[in-house]
Amino acid sequence: MSKVKFIILLIFLPVCAVMAQEKTLSKEEAIALALENNFGVVIAKNNLKIAENNKTILNSGYLPSLTGNAGGSFDQNNQEATFQDGTVRAIDGAETTRYNASLNLNYTLFDGLGRLYDFKRLKEEYGLSKLETRETIETTMLQLYTVYFEVARLTENIKVLENTFSNTQKRLQRSEYSFEYGQANKLDVLNAQVDLVNDSINLMNTRQSVRNTKRDLNLLMNRDITTAFEVDTTITFVNPISLEEFLDKGISNNVSVLQTEANIKINDYAYKSSKSVFLPTIGLTGSYGWNEGNFPATNFLASSVSTGLSAGLNLSWNLFDGGSGITQVKNAKIVLDNQEVIKEQIRQEVITDVQNAKENYLNRLRIFSLQEQNVVTNQNNFERSKEQFQLGSITSIEFRQAQINLLNAQTNKNLAKYDAKLAELQLLQLTGQLLNIEL
């Protein structure tokens, strides 16, 4: 087997073996799998369930507490009792038994409004958890798109490299025929062989990169990393009019800004709750009990049974606790003020990030447009160079340079296309619209 045939066999046999097993994984399917299976998303959703449990009436302090108590005792003693009339009575092994059971109710009627603001704080913390879950989902989606588009870029590069390999292979065959008939020297054949080996290495390395990146994508979707698939290489960009509308509302929809607003509300409720230390607590108690006792002959009573209902109202007012309550209120106010400062800081950062992301996106769109034009120019140059090479007007080195120029232009166009799309997605994330668009 010749060296050229061996290289061709090495390149194309593994491809034929797996192509029949692979189906196209759409962007929507990839996102659905990631949102269902991704480890980070699953943990975020579980944390959201915890926050949802915390905001219910069962965790508010508004419901009363009801406890049941029951007990019994047994005593056996040697007793000697002297009564007022001088009578003495002695009993060995005197037994006394007592039994009791009760239901006790405790309910706080007023606690200085502390539980009211704590309950509101828990509801707001649930809203914050929803925002944190959204942030996790957005970050996961952006990671997924990055890897997905890298697979797409490399897949398109493979097609370019296969075409380059095919052209080099034809060039080698032409050089071999020309050499056999004395129309070219051996150097042309050797140059073509070297170029074919280089093209095959580039193709093999790119295919290996695709396999590695596909495993990374399977990991993000939390499925078997050996699952074979192809990706959709079609790219569409958001309508510029819609994008301008997103930008107009960008700051108000940004998840980081919304989180700071939620934190301000949470700390405001915490501050108001801390001031409950200055007000009294009023509580209601109630119980229903049963008591039974059986006594020896030395006791005035042989037995007794009592049942009854009792209720009470109590007031507690911590007039001075050494100053810890005042300190707590002051610190809560400072924490609230800090949240206002953090909000303004994040707002300014988001404004800057959105503007940078917008200009970066527009710049990459322009680069992509130029790269598309560059591919057309290099394609025309390659076709003319190919004609001239076949006519013997240019050398194989000049033809190879035209081939490399076309290869670089095509791979640069692929890179520019996916760079522009990722820049768009980053801009959409900053404006809070990443979850609201169709790709």
Side-chain angles (χ1 to χ4, degrees), residues 100-297:
N100 66 84
S102 65
L103 286 175
N104 302 291
L105 175 74
N106 285 281
Y107 184 63
T108 301
L109 297 175
F110 180 75
D111 69 342
L113 302 178
R115 64 182 173 182
L116 170 66
Y117 292 117
D118 284 341
F119 191 35
K120 290 183 176 181
R121 175 179 55 80
L122 290 172
K123 288 184 177 180
E124 198 60 43
E125 286 178 351
Y126 170 69
L128 178 61
S129 293
K130 289 176 69 174
L131 291 172
E132 290 171 346
T133 302
R134 171 187 151 185
E135 183 180 32
T136 300
I137 290 174
E138 287 181 352
T139 302
T140 302
M141 286 179 63
L142 202 57
Q143 290 175 342
L144 185 78
Y145 285 134
T146 301
V147 180
Y148 186 96
F149 289 144
E150 179 63 7
V151 175
R153 184 184 71 84
L154 292 171
T155 299
E156 289 198 279
N157 283 355
I158 286 175
K159 294 178 181 179
V160 173
L161 290 168
E162 286 176 345
N163 188 52
T164 301
F165 180 87
S166 177
N167 287 328
T168 305
Q169 178 190 352
K170 292 176 183 177
R171 176 183 141 214
L172 175 59
Q173 291 174 345
R174 178 181 177 82
S175 298
E176 288 176 337
Y177 291 149
S178 297
F179 176 71
E180 289 177 6
Y181 291 102
Q183 296 176 353
N185 57 38
K186 185 65 174 178
L187 183 60
D188 289 340
V189 176
L190 295 175
N191 285 335
Q193 288 178 343
V194 170
D195 293 338
L196 187 67
V197 171
N198 289 333
D199 290 346
S200 66
I201 291 173
N202 291 335
L203 188 54
M204 291 170 66
N205 285 337
T206 304
R207 283 183 177 150
Q208 182 59 48
S209 296
V210 167
R211 289 192 288 270
N212 293 343
T213 312
K214 283 183 177 181
R215 281 190 283 269
D216 292 338
L217 188 57
N218 280 328
L219 179 62
L220 278 173
M221 296 183 292
N222 190 20
R223 66 177 186 174
D224 187 353
I225 61 172
T226 62
T227 303
F229 62 92
E230 291 294 335
V231 296
D232 181 10
T233 59
T234 305
I235 291 295
T236 57
F237 294 99
V238 174
N239 187 297
I241 297 176
S242 300
L243 190 61
E244 284 299 325
E245 293 177 358
F246 296 156
L247 290 171
D248 291 339
K249 303 176 182 178
I251 304 303
S252 59
N253 289 332
N254 180 271
V255 69
S256 296
V257 172
L258 293 175
Q259 284 176 334
T260 60
E261 292 174 352
N263 276 319
I264 287 174
K265 292 180 181 178
I266 289 171
N267 283 279
D268 182 49
Y269 290 139
Y271 169 61
K272 292 176 179 177
S273 176
S274 69
K275 292 194 288 187
S276 65
V277 70
F278 300 131
L279 297 175
T281 299
I282 301 174
L284 176 67
T285 61
S287 67
Y288 180 83
W290 166 78
N291 292 276
E292 178 181 338
N294 298 293
F295 311 106

Side-chain angles (χ1 to χ4, degrees), residues 171 187-188 191 389 394-402:
R171 176 183 141 214
L187 183 60
D188 289 340
N191 285 335
F389 176 68
I394 63 173
T395 65
S396 62
I397 295 176
E398 291 173 315
F399 175 69
R400 176 63 176 178
Q401 187 59 52

